[in-house]
Amino acid sequence: MAKTTNKFSELLEAEWVESLLTAWNGAVILAVGGLLLYLTRFHPAPGVRLAELIFSSFAIALGLVIVGLSVWRGKQASDLPTVPFPCPYCTSNNLFIAPPTDDFECDHCHRTVHFAFGEPVPVRTVICQYCHTEHRVAMTVQRYVCDRCNRLLDVGSDPTKKVSIVGTAAVDSTEALLQNYDVLLVAYDRRTENELALKLVNLMVVNMPEAKRQMVLVSAATPLTVVRNLPHRKAESIRRQLQELGATASLRSNQQAPTAGSGQPRAPHA
């Protein structure tokens, strides 16, 4: 397999990316073989014509085999047996090749599901004392930022302990966690351009040509806004995903975002 992973979505994405790249190489070989086959008619010498005919036929056959194998490889990955594992926070199923034993990020709510000694860490329900929103929180978590009002909650490790508010937007030490952020793409590694473009297709809901067109314009002076107005935890998760694909990404607080008509975007904070 292209990537050693237990998570079906990651393995499937990696397999299809490699299959598409392989199919592209096969299509190039197929096109070259077809062109050579067409050019054989312009060579009057029988020996040269026969050699070109053999070579072009071989190239066409090789191209067809490569394209066929890439499609078969992608289909084989799609047909792998999977093991569903419900996220303890949002209850949506994540698919795995084998039962998970390590921390992973939920494909649906993007929260980290924690494991200890190969077993999932139990979760409990806590209620924000300010907006009364219910949250599912791992038992090992001491503090949690409310998804609705962005207040920092002291949940502790004792389920019987009352949840208290320990931070607001006016507290400097938690100010970063209480803001929403945009995720900016500043630079990328051209060796992983196709994989990154595929990720941008999913995040920005655009097609592949449009994703690549916007990537060409990326620089430190003109970063590409990948997603907007996300809580710190989700924005940081997406930033890490981009960095894993060889990109340089940063977060920009909405309070720092340039307003309309302000001209050139401001340089992002690391």
Side-chain angles (χ1 to χ4, degrees):
M1 290 301 174
K3 183 180 179 182
T4 303
T5 177
N6 197 27
K7 201 172 186 181
F8 180 69
S9 60
E10 295 177 358
L11 182 142
L12 189 61
E13 180 179 348
E15 285 293 328
W16 273 109
V17 167
E18 291 203 6
S19 295
L20 288 174
L21 293 176
T22 303
W24 170 256
N25 294 332
V28 171
I29 295 174
L30 187 61
V32 171
L35 179 61
L36 289 176
L37 183 62
Y38 172 76
L39 294 176
T40 55
R41 67 179 65 183
F42 300 106
H43 290 282
V48 176
R49 183 182 301 177
L50 179 61
E52 287 191 349
L53 181 63
I54 294 174
F55 184 80
S56 60
S57 299
F58 175 78
I60 291 174
L62 180 61
L64 290 174
V65 169
I66 292 176
V67 171
L69 286 177
S70 64
V71 173
W72 177 82
R73 176 180 178 177
K75 188 176 184 304
Q76 286 292 105
S78 302
D79 294 339
L80 285 174
T82 57
V83 178
F85 186 92
C87 172
Y89 307 118
C90 66
T91 70
S92 299
N93 276 333
N94 291 267
L95 300 180
F96 291 84
I97 306 303
T101 56
D102 296 314
D103 295 357
F104 70 89
E105 184 181 275
C106 175
D107 288 333
H108 307 277
C109 67
H110 302 290
R111 293 183 62 181
T112 300
V113 179
H114 297 281
F115 283 72
F117 306 106
E119 296 294 332
V121 175
V123 301
R124 62 187 175 111
T125 300
V126 299
I127 301 176
C128 174
Q129 297 302 301
Y130 183 84
C131 65
H132 306 292
T133 301
E134 292 188 358
H135 303 283
R136 299 280 288 172
V137 180
M139 293 291 293
T140 54
V141 171
Q142 302 292 320
R143 292 188 172 186
Y144 183 79
V145 178
C146 177
D147 289 333
R148 183 175 181 183
C149 68
N150 274 353
R151 280 171 168 76
L152 184 63
L153 309 177
D154 183 10
V155 298
S157 57
D158 184 0
T160 62
K161 179 182 176 181
K162 184 178 179 180
V163 176
S164 59
I165 301 173
V166 295
T168 65
V171 179
D172 293 339
S173 61
T174 59
E175 184 178 358
L177 292 175
L178 302 177
Q179 298 173 8
N180 284 354
Y181 291 82
D182 300 337
V183 180
L184 307 178
L185 177 64
V186 180
Y188 63 94
D189 188 343
R190 296 191 180 277
R191 293 173 298 180
T192 58
E193 179 179 356
N194 291 319
E195 293 88 337
L196 180 60
L198 185 61
K199 175 62 70 173
L200 295 182
V201 166
N202 296 327
L203 292 173
M204 302 176 65
V205 195
V206 296
N207 55 34
M208 182 68 82
E210 176 63 16
K212 289 191 173 183
R213 185 189 70 80
Q214 297 197 38
M215 286 171 60
V216 172
L217 305 176
V218 166
S219 69
T222 58
L224 173 63
T225 302
V226 178
V227 291
R228 298 179 183 273
N229 199 31
L230 291 181
H232 182 271
R233 184 184 65 248
K234 293 183 179 179
E236 178 63 23
S237 172
I238 292 177
R239 186 183 72 86
R240 289 198 304 268
Q241 293 176 31
L242 296 177
Q243 287 184 328
E244 289 174 358
L245 294 174
T248 301
S250 63
L251 303 184
R252 179 180 63 194
S253 169
N254 285 357
Q255 296 181 6
Q256 302 166 342
T259 56
S262 61
Q264 193 73 12
R266 298 168 61 181
H269 294 280

